[in-house]
Amino acid sequence: MADEPQIIYAIRLFFEIVWMLLRVDFEIIKSLFKSILPSEPKDVNDDIILITGAGHGMGREVAQRFGRLGAKVVCVDINAKGNEETVKLIKQEKGKAFSFECDVTDRAAVMNLAERVTSEVGEVTILVNNAGIMPCKPVLRHSEKEIKTLMDINVNGNLWMIQAFLPSMLERNYGHIVAMSSMAGKMGLRNLVPYCGTKYAVRGIMEALAVELHEDPRDTNGIKFTTICPYIVNTGLCHNPKIRFAGLMKTVDPGDAADRIVDAIRREYHEITIPSDMYYTNKIFQLLPPAAGKLMTDFIGTGLDPHD
Ligand SMILES: NC(=O)c1ccc[n+]([C@@H]2O[C@H](COP(=O)([O-])OP(=O)(O)OC[C@H]3O[C@@H](n4cnc5c(N)ncnc54)[C@H](O)[C@@H]3O)[C@@H](O)[C@H]2O)c1
C-alpha cells in the first residue's frame, strides 16, 4: 500500500514469500507422491466425449476405448465414411456412439456442430482435439496453400472447438479439454518446420488457456487440461521414419498409444509424451546448451524423410 511504512511492507513481503515457498514445496511433494502412487483413473461412464479426427488412426482407437468404458462417444471427422466406420465398430461392442461430419477449420460449421451435439446428445464433458495433418518436406517446398491449410486444421481448428465447447463447461464448472500436440511440439525436426510450429502452438494454447481459467474470477477448478505429445505412431501419418537405434526408440502401435492417451485423460495428467521416457530426455535436452543438444540429436539420428 502507498502509505504503508517501509518496515511493515518488508515484514509482510517476507511472510508472503515464506508462505508461497511453503505452498510450492507442498505442491512438489504432492506431485512426487502422485508419480509414485498415481490417482485412480476417473469413471467416464456418465461422460459425453467428443473426439475430432475420430475417423482414423489414434482418434478412432481412443473413441473405441471410451466406447468400451461406457461413455457416450461423439465422433467428428471431415471424412464421413471413416467416421461412420468408427461409430459402427463402437456399436458392435454395444457402445454408445454418434457420428457428426464436420470440417474443424470452418468456424461456423463448428458452432453449428456444438448446437447439434448439445441438442441431440447432450453437453460435451470431455473434448479431445485430435484432428490433424502432417505435410512433411523441406520448408521451402511447402506451398502457401499447404501451410495455410495446416495452420487452419492443426491450430485454428483447436481454437474453434474450444470456443464452441468451453462456454458450457464454464457454466457448469465441469469439463476436460484434451489436445493432441506432438514431440514435434517440444523439439525441432527436419522436414516438419510448419508442422512443428503448429504443434508448439497447440501446447501454447493449452498452457495459456489453463492460466486464463486459473485467473478467472469464477470457480474453474472443475475444468481439466491434458496435452498429449506422441513421437511416431504407426497410423500412416508419418512415412519413412529414420531411427538409428530401433530398439531404443520404437515407433508406437496406435492401440498402445490410445491406451496411454485414455489413461492420461482418466488420471487428468497435465501433459504426457508417448513413449513416456521422452518426457525426461526432452527436459534434459532443454537444459543443455544448443550445441551440446545438437551433438546428441545428431548421434541419436532420428527424424523423417520428405513424404513427396
Ligand atoms: N501419427 C503420429 O505419429 C503422430 C505423432 C504425433 C502427433 N500426432 C498427432 O495426432 C493426431 C492424430 O494423428 P493420427 O496419426 O491418428 O492421424 P490420422 O491421419 O490417422 O487421422 C487424422 C484424422 O483427422 C481427420 N481430419 C483431418 N482434417 C480434418 C478436418 N479439417 N476436420 C475434421 N477432421 C479432420 C482425418 O480425416 C483423419 O480421420 C494429429 O493431430 C497428429 O498431428 C500424430
Side-chain angles (χ1 to χ4, degrees):
M1 274 181 221
D3 51 0
E4 190 175 44
Q6 285 273 318
I7 182 73
I8 302 288
Y9 173 76
I11 292 170
R12 194 166 53 78
L13 190 61
F14 172 78
F15 281 109
E16 272 183 30
I17 292 171
V18 169
W19 176 231
M20 186 264 296
L21 289 175
L22 279 173
R23 288 165 66 204
V24 167
D25 285 346
F26 174 71
E27 289 302 330
I28 292 171
I29 293 165
K30 211 167 92 181
S31 151
L32 283 173
F33 190 73
K34 267 195 175 175
S35 64
I36 301 164
L37 274 181
S39 50
E40 281 297 304
K42 65 181 171 188
D43 184 356
V44 291
N45 207 33
D46 293 328
D47 279 297
I48 299 181
I49 306 178
L50 186 151
I51 304 164
T52 66
H56 193 261
M58 283 185 272
R60 169 175 288 173
E61 297 283 340
V62 168
Q64 286 182 273
R65 277 155 185 76
F66 278 131
R68 285 172 207 143
L69 289 167
K72 285 185 183 167
V73 188
V74 179
C75 298
V76 174
D77 207 293
I78 196 172
N79 172 359
K81 194 162 167 271
N83 209 32
E84 289 289 353
E85 182 61 29
T86 305
V87 168
K88 201 170 127 196
L89 288 168
I90 296 172
K91 286 186 172 165
Q92 272 170 6
E93 294 183 305
K94 308 270 178 269
K96 292 159 270 182
F98 307 81
S99 169
F100 289 86
E101 185 182 342
C102 181
D103 176 353
V104 296
T105 68
D106 182 343
R107 191 177 184 280
V110 168
M111 295 302 154
N112 182 259
L113 170 78
E115 277 176 25
R116 283 178 55 211
V117 171
T118 308
S119 72
E120 292 171 32
V121 188
E123 303 280 7
V124 169
T125 55
I126 303 181
L127 164 65
V128 185
N129 273 326
N130 162 76
I133 59 165
M134 194 193 76
C136 181
K137 61 179 89 165
V139 64
L140 297 181
R141 277 185 25 211
H142 278 83
S143 69
E144 179 187 351
K145 187 169 180 297
E146 249 170 359
I147 291 179
K148 285 186 169 162
T149 306
L150 176 65
M151 297 291 164
D152 269 346
I153 299 175
N154 290 15
V155 182
N156 295 342
N158 275 255
L159 291 168
W160 307 152
M161 293 298 293
I162 289 167
Q163 288 189 330
F165 291 97
L166 179 62
S168 78
M169 293 184 185
L170 278 170
E171 267 169 33
R172 291 171 294 129
N173 185 23
Y174 183 80
H176 194 151
I177 297 179
V178 182
M180 197 63 100
S181 178
S182 168
M183 282 312 294
K186 288 172 87 68
M187 60 201 256
L189 291 163
R190 67 172 180 266
N191 295 317
L192 292 175
V193 174
Y195 179 79
C196 282
T198 67
K199 293 301 178 180
Y200 270 79
V202 167
R203 285 184 54 238
I205 288 166
M206 292 297 281
E207 294 286 347
L209 185 61
V211 170
E212 187 166 295
L213 263 57
H214 172 68
E215 291 175 10
D216 193 292
R218 290 167 287 187
D219 183 5
T220 60
N221 276 334
I223 304 175
K224 312 293 175 194
F225 306 93
T226 299
T227 304
I228 312 286
C229 302
Y231 186 50
I232 299 176
V233 183
N234 295 323
T235 62
L237 193 84
C238 292
H239 319 153
N240 316 326
K242 289 277 168 302
I243 298 179
R244 186 172 174 204
F245 303 105
L248 206 67
M249 293 179 86
K250 288 195 186 86
T251 59
V252 179
D253 172 77
D256 293 340
D259 285 339
R260 292 273 336 275
I261 295 166
V262 170
D263 184 64
I265 297 172
R266 293 183 65 205
R267 291 183 200 269
E268 298 179 342
Y269 288 155
H270 171 70
E271 184 175 278
I272 64 155
T273 66
I274 303 172
S276 52
D277 48 13
M278 286 196 121
Y279 188 81
Y280 296 101
T281 43
N282 182 260
K283 287 228 181 285
I284 294 167
F285 269 110
Q286 282 169 352
L287 290 173
L288 293 174
K294 265 190 211 127
L295 281 174
M296 288 186 76
T297 41
D298 286 351
F299 176 74
I300 293 166
T302 176
L304 296 176
D305 279 350
H307 285 176
D308 55 63

